[in-house]
Amino acid sequence: MLDEALKKAVLRSRYLVALCGSGMLKEYGQLSMRDPDRAYEIEKKYGYSPEEMFTSSFYSTRPDRFFEFYRNEILAGEGCPGEAFYHLADLSKCGKLKCVITNNVYSYPEKAGCENVVSLHGDIENNYCPHCKEKYPKEYILASKNAPRCSKCGALLRPGLIFFGQTVDNALMSRATAEVSKADVLLVIGSSLRFEPARQYARYFEGDHLIVINPVSDYSDRQADLVINEPIADTLKKISEWVEEA
Ligand SMILES: [Zn+2]
């Protein structure tokens, strides 16, 4: 029944958009620093929680400690895109999926081959000098001892990610809002509707079917037209096969 409804909605859709949360990573064992278990481990190790450390004030006042955390817990945490991202990429490459909106900072959707990706929280490759705007790849940060400085002007470098308590870049927010507003079918993947980025962006959806694909069920799912509490990779695999057959 659910499969039939999902198949029908996706195959009929003319502007399919995916809004992806951290459940896409959790499914194959990658925990974001916002995950309670991971946050607890980090707090035990550093004496501060990620919410305390990954902030503008911690970065400014304790840059050495900040970059130790950034190198060890964020940059070193980069893995490979899981299977689910490759199914999304198949849907993107064939033109079915028009946009992927994500809070993933490792560019997994792009690495798997998705087109038109909006990375709301930025990207670990976009470190930069706030003074002269020179860009620095993650390797530069990983190779640095203590707090990395700009090789041109000596200023303290800054990660191209948004800090806790900081709002998403205006241009990215507008792009995400515009894409969700255009969608006739919105897939919320690896998140319930009460967590970001789904919470903020799903409310701009005015299309026909809001579909949640998340292994964990949640009371907020009631706002969705269709809820698939099944493994994400399996569900996306089915969708990409239906689209291929159609
Ligand atoms: Zn500089």
Side-chain angles (χ1 to χ4, degrees):
M1 271 303 281
L2 278 180
D3 268 11
E4 274 312 303
L6 177 65
K7 183 175 179 179
K8 215 177 195 179
V10 170
L11 291 185
R12 279 186 183 167
S13 133
R14 289 186 312 273
Y15 207 93
L16 183 67
V17 170
L19 199 45
C20 304
S22 55
M24 281 192 80
L25 306 180
K26 198 170 181 173
E27 186 160 284
Y28 60 101
Q30 278 195 37
L31 298 183
S32 91
M33 64 174 171
R34 290 163 201 258
D35 185 276
D37 292 342
R38 175 101 197 278
Y40 176 72
E41 288 303 317
I42 288 172
E43 185 161 359
K44 265 203 318 200
K45 186 166 161 188
Y46 294 86
Y48 296 95
S49 70
E51 283 91 342
E52 288 168 310
M53 273 187 290
F54 206 65
T55 59
S56 197
S57 66
F58 200 89
Y59 160 82
S60 316
T61 54
R62 307 194 54 188
D64 289 347
R65 193 74 168 145
F66 172 88
F67 275 99
E68 183 191 351
F69 168 76
Y70 181 52
R71 272 192 296 267
N72 295 341
E73 309 304 329
I74 300 181
L75 295 185
E78 184 180 15
C80 297
E83 187 193 330
F85 288 98
Y86 288 98
H87 296 311
L88 274 187
D90 288 341
L91 289 166
S92 171
K93 285 186 272 193
C94 74
K96 186 74 193 176
L97 182 62
K98 307 297 187 202
C99 179
V100 175
I101 300 163
T102 179
N103 55 8
N104 184 261
V105 297
Y106 299 118
S107 304
Y108 290 153
E110 289 98 327
K111 282 179 187 150
C114 291
E115 288 154 23
N116 195 24
V117 179
V118 184
S119 294
L120 294 166
H121 288 182
D123 182 321
I124 54 161
E125 291 294 344
N126 289 331
N127 307 282
Y128 66 100
C129 169
H131 184 66
C132 74
K133 310 298 174 206
E134 184 74 10
K135 298 245 178 181
Y136 289 88
K138 66 169 187 295
E139 286 75 17
Y140 186 88
I141 311 287
L142 281 169
S144 67
K145 290 252 182 296
N146 303 323
R149 297 200 162 262
C150 178
S151 61
K152 298 238 158 65
C153 76
L156 181 65
L157 297 187
R158 199 186 150 106
L161 307 183
I162 65 162
F163 290 142
F164 279 101
Q166 204 185 4
T167 49
V168 170
D169 176 81
N170 263 331
L172 289 176
M173 211 187 278
S174 309
R175 242 182 96 198
T177 308
E179 291 289 353
V180 171
S181 318
K182 266 195 278 183
D184 59 356
V185 175
L186 181 65
L187 302 178
V188 172
I189 307 172
S191 173
S192 73
L193 288 168
R194 75 189 160 100
F195 294 119
E196 300 300 347
R199 191 177 68 87
Q200 186 177 351
Y201 294 95
R203 57 192 154 114
Y204 297 105
F205 179 66
E206 293 170 347
D208 304 323
H209 301 282
L210 174 57
I211 303 172
V212 172
I213 300 172
N214 196 26
V216 192
S217 75
D218 189 86
Y219 69 86
S220 63
D221 294 346
R222 281 180 303 180
Q223 301 163 51
D225 300 298
L226 194 60
V227 181
I228 314 287
N229 292 138
E230 300 284 341
I232 297 164
D234 296 356
T235 307
L236 294 182
K237 180 167 188 260
K238 277 193 240 173
I239 295 177
S240 100
E241 284 168 358
W242 293 331
V243 170
E244 201 181 316
E245 286 159 11

Coordinates of all heavy atoms in Angstrom, one line a residue, residues 129 131-134 150 152-155, ligand 1:
C129 N 40.2 33.0 4.9 CA 40.8 34.1 5.7 C 39.7 35.2 5.7 O 39.4 35.8 4.7 CB 42.1 34.6 5.1 SG 42.7 36.1 5.8
H131 N 40.1 38.1 6.6 CA 40.7 39.4 6.3 C 40.9 39.6 4.8 O 40.4 40.5 4.3 CB 42.1 39.5 7.1 CG 42.7 40.8 6.9 ND1 42.2 42.0 7.4 CD2 43.9 41.2 6.3 CE1 43.0 43.0 7.1 NE2 44.0 42.5 6.4
C132 N 41.6 38.7 4.2 CA 41.9 38.9 2.7 C 41.1 38.0 1.8 O 41.2 38.0 0.6 CB 43.4 38.7 2.4 SG 44.0 37.0 2.5
K133 N 40.3 37.1 2.4 CA 39.3 36.2 1.7 C 40.0 35.0 1.0 O 39.3 34.4 0.2 CB 38.4 37.0 0.7 CG 37.7 38.2 1.3 CD 36.8 37.9 2.4 CE 36.2 39.1 3.0 NZ 35.8 39.0 4.4
E134 N 41.3 34.8 1.2 CA 42.0 33.7 0.6 C 41.3 32.4 1.1 O 41.0 32.3 2.2 CB 43.4 33.7 1.0 CG 44.3 32.7 0.4 CD 44.6 32.9 -1.1 OE1 44.3 34.0 -1.7 OE2 45.2 32.0 -1.7
C150 N 46.6 32.6 8.0 CA 46.6 32.9 6.5 C 48.1 33.0 6.1 O 48.8 33.8 6.7 CB 45.8 34.1 6.2 SG 45.8 34.6 4.5
K152 N 49.1 34.5 3.5 CA 49.3 35.8 2.9 C 49.3 37.0 3.9 O 50.1 37.8 3.7 CB 48.1 36.0 1.9 CG 48.0 35.0 0.8 CD 48.1 35.7 -0.6 CE 48.5 34.7 -1.7 NZ 47.6 33.6 -1.9
C153 N 48.4 36.9 4.8 CA 48.3 38.1 5.7 C 48.4 37.8 7.2 O 48.4 38.7 8.0 CB 47.0 38.9 5.4 SG 45.5 38.1 6.1
G154 N 48.5 36.5 7.5 CA 48.7 36.1 8.9 C 47.4 36.1 9.8 O 47.5 35.8 11.0
A155 N 46.3 36.4 9.2 CA 45.0 36.4 10.1 C 44.6 35.0 10.4 O 45.0 34.0 9.7 CB 43.9 37.1 9.3
Ligands
ZN1 ZN 44.6 36.5 4.6

